[in-house]
Amino acid sequence: MTEPSVLTASVRPGVPAHVALVLDGNRRWAAQRGLSVPEGHRYGIGKIPDVLQWCEEEGVAMVTQWILSIRNLQRSPQELAGLYESFISLCERLAEARRWRVRVIGALELLPAPVAAAFEDVQRRTERVEGVQANIAVAYDGRREIVAAARSLAEKFRDRGPQESAGDLSWWEGEFASHLGTAGLADPDLVIRTSGEQRLSGYLTWQTTQSELYFCERLWPDFTREDLRQALDSYASRQRRLGL
């Protein structure tokens, strides 16, 4: 049996219920200011609670922010050490706020144990919070997520045949989605990427087939509430036919 999606509804008409963001530009931002790469990441990661608050106040019910890809794990040990320190601080800040319900998506097993533990802890400490659903994608890659879901699905049916309804492709789609890291979550209505790059880079590959895309020129640490509003206004001005 598949898990039902978490239904989200925006507070205001025309506002996307689920906004997903690609947080891009920390290193370029630091370079422009003569700062170190870890300082750029610290400023960027520190922006996350601000954006959650802005989204909440704008009526967005669910926010997913991508803070580290699988490819990013190939960066220098020095850069990763700075990132990990910022992640631990972020988790503590989110846990202490008790304002948003945090869910982590990604391969935590690829992270150092203390960092993985910090993400697990913030999930536990906020699981009963009744607020914006705040998803953090860390050590995440869309293709890896799909491959892992396919393997999990194959293992599930290894020793027993699928249900009679398995002949229906829509049944398979729902069953497959229940094995993804986002199982139970609604797909994004709007994806925002900062820094001017115009690609998704493997972000929520399965989940973004019907998402609206918005590319912001501003580097992530400089992202403002007005930038968010412009993205939301762009979304509201579009006619979402969803292939119908």
Side-chain angles (χ1 to χ4, degrees):
M1 182 176 180
T2 61
E3 296 182 37
S5 293
V6 172
L7 299 179
T8 58
S10 59
V11 175
R12 300 170 190 163
V15 175
H18 182 184
V19 173
L21 299 105
V22 182
L23 286 51
D24 196 11
N26 291 344
R27 297 195 294 181
R28 277 171 281 171
W29 182 89
Q32 290 175 2
R33 288 159 178 77
L35 301 175
S36 68
V37 170
E39 286 177 301
H41 287 312
R42 185 167 65 252
Y43 275 91
I45 298 303
K47 175 79 66 173
I48 289 172
D50 296 334
V51 175
L52 283 173
Q53 180 177 334
W54 301 339
C55 287
E56 180 180 49
E57 293 171 352
E58 293 292 336
V60 178
M62 185 182 298
V63 183
T64 303
Q65 300 187 65
W66 193 14
I67 65 174
L68 185 75
S69 72
I70 296 290
R71 291 180 65 85
N72 294 156
L73 293 173
Q74 301 174 27
R75 292 181 177 178
S76 72
Q78 294 81 5
E79 180 175 350
L80 290 175
L83 265 172
Y84 294 152
E85 183 178 338
S86 295
F87 291 167
I88 292 173
S89 297
L90 170 68
C91 289
E92 186 59 30
R93 186 176 172 187
L94 294 177
E96 289 181 350
R98 294 193 60 79
R99 184 171 181 173
W100 308 290
R101 186 171 59 257
V102 178
R103 176 164 167 179
V104 181
I105 303 165
L108 288 184
E109 67 275 11
L110 299 181
L111 301 177
V115 182
F119 282 114
E120 292 168 348
D121 183 60
V122 70
Q123 286 189 124
R124 178 185 59 79
R125 292 168 64 182
T126 63
E127 62 184 357
R128 298 187 183 279
V129 173
E130 294 184 2
V132 166
Q133 175 73 48
N135 307 315
I136 304 294
V138 58
Y140 175 85
D141 176 81
R143 285 186 177 181
R144 181 188 175 97
E145 181 187 33
I146 290 171
V147 169
R151 181 174 61 187
S152 176
L153 190 61
E155 290 174 351
K156 177 176 180 178
F157 292 115
R158 177 178 298 164
D159 300 322
R160 60 185 178 87
Q163 302 175 12
E164 292 181 2
S165 57
D168 182 356
L169 286 180
S170 63
W171 182 90
W172 276 112
E173 182 176 342
E175 182 67 22
F176 186 86
S178 73
H179 289 259
L180 295 168
T182 55
L185 301 177
D187 291 341
D189 300 296
L190 172 66
V191 178
I192 302 170
R193 180 168 186 157
T194 59
S195 86
E197 303 291 344
Q198 297 190 15
R199 60 182 185 277
L200 292 182
S201 300
Y203 186 38
L204 300 174
T205 304
W206 173 276
Q207 300 87 347
T208 55
T209 55
Q210 296 295 337
S211 301
E212 298 293 324
L213 306 180
Y214 182 88
F215 300 104
C216 174
E217 292 292 327
R218 204 179 303 277
L219 300 176
W220 173 251
D222 284 335
F223 189 75
T224 66
R225 183 162 187 168
E226 183 58 31
D227 292 323
L228 175 65
R229 284 177 172 161
Q230 288 179 8
L232 297 180
D233 287 345
S234 176
Y235 174 87
S237 69
R238 304 179 189 184
Q239 289 186 330
R240 300 194 74 204
R241 299 182 180 86
L242 303 178
L244 300 177

